[in-house]
Amino acid sequence: MANSEESLLACHDCDLLVRKPRLRTREKVVCSRCGAVLYSHKPDSVGRALNFSLASLIVFVLANAYPLLAFKLQGQVQLCDLISGVKELYRQGYWELAVLVFSVSILTPFLKITSLLYVLLPLRFNRRPWRLAYVFRCVETLHPWAMTEVFLLGIIVAIVKLRDIAIIVTGVGLYSFVALIVLMAAADAALEPHDIWEQVEVER
Ligand SMILES: [Zn+2]
């Protein structure tokens, strides 16, 4: 193992500096002081995260374009899509809640997917996007705010509560929304952030 192939990693938990050796597939670097995982070698991290992000963008569009649910109550059919819950909250005067729901279920996932694509797409073709460090820091900041799972939980609760009084038909939007949650999690799992930060170092 040549020294030039080693770089230093700082532990995000205890700040210990650890030498990063060349790893084989699925090997990890663990902090010798606190045991935190600092880096794990994920094969084709950028390429796989890019594929999952592109698929996320497609299902995001579908989840917004098609109804999540249809309610049939006393002969009337009401369609419910992703934005209609936000509109309803706003209409009833809960505008702060409407902004929050819009942010965590629509805006943040959209920003996260598009900024991740902005980072990954050029890197996949060995180009470095403009302001890579800044945009990738935004991706990492947005991460905890994309609470699509919480929104899904809300939909499930609504279905359970309303199923006795109305006929509920699940729509393409709902399946797309579930696929969005799975694909965004898959993109996160495929990506090793350290691989991106290494490109930032090259830039400097
Ligand atoms: Zn540590």
Side-chain angles (χ1 to χ4, degrees):
M1 191 186 300
N3 262 345
S4 59
E5 288 173 342
E6 290 182 345
S7 56
L8 287 175
L9 292 168
C11 175
H12 39 73
D13 286 347
C14 73
D15 288 333
L16 181 73
L17 283 178
V18 178
R19 279 198 184 285
K20 181 193 146 198
R22 276 180 74 88
L23 297 181
R24 282 188 297 255
T25 306
R26 309 216 182 271
E27 282 185 336
K28 291 174 188 170
V29 181
V30 176
C31 175
S32 55
R33 185 153 65 193
C34 73
V37 175
L38 305 185
Y39 172 77
S40 52
H41 184 282
K42 294 178 181 171
D44 191 21
S45 150
V46 168
R48 287 175 55 235
L50 174 64
N51 294 345
F52 286 128
S53 301
L54 284 170
S56 301
L57 186 65
I58 294 168
V59 291
F60 177 86
V61 172
L62 294 177
N64 280 280
Y66 290 94
L68 299 171
L69 301 167
F71 294 100
K72 282 183 199 158
L73 184 62
Q74 291 162 356
Q76 286 204 331
V77 178
Q78 178 139 25
L79 293 177
C80 172
D81 51 28
L82 209 51
I83 197 76
S84 60
V86 176
K87 282 185 192 156
E88 189 57 27
L89 282 169
Y90 183 77
R91 206 178 58 80
Q92 292 188 16
Y94 301 109
W95 69 267
E96 301 97 332
L97 217 53
V99 169
L100 186 71
V101 172
F102 175 73
S103 301
V104 301
S105 62
I106 299 176
L107 183 64
T108 315
F110 175 73
L111 289 177
K112 199 189 152 192
I113 296 167
T114 45
S115 46
L116 202 51
L117 285 173
Y118 174 85
V119 167
L120 296 175
L121 201 59
L123 286 179
R124 175 72 182 75
F125 297 100
N126 297 319
R127 287 165 170 270
R128 228 158 271 122
W130 187 63
R131 304 206 62 185
L132 170 61
Y134 174 76
V135 178
F136 193 60
R137 206 167 289 125
C138 289
V139 172
E140 296 204 314
T141 311
L142 287 171
H143 179 67
W145 293 101
M147 294 184 215
T148 39
E149 305 87 340
V150 179
F151 191 82
L152 182 67
L153 206 66
I155 298 171
I156 293 168
V157 170
I159 292 175
V160 171
K161 282 196 161 182
L162 294 171
R163 69 181 169 173
D164 292 336
I165 54 165
I167 298 167
I168 299 169
V169 182
T170 47
V172 174
L174 186 65
Y175 299 118
S176 306
F177 197 72
V178 174
L180 174 67
I181 294 171
V182 174
L183 288 167
M184 279 172 67
D188 285 337
L191 185 66
E192 171 50 59
H194 184 75
D195 291 346
I196 309 294
W197 291 122
E198 239 171 12
Q199 292 295 325
V200 174
E201 289 301 318
V202 173
E203 203 173 41
R204 281 183 185 138

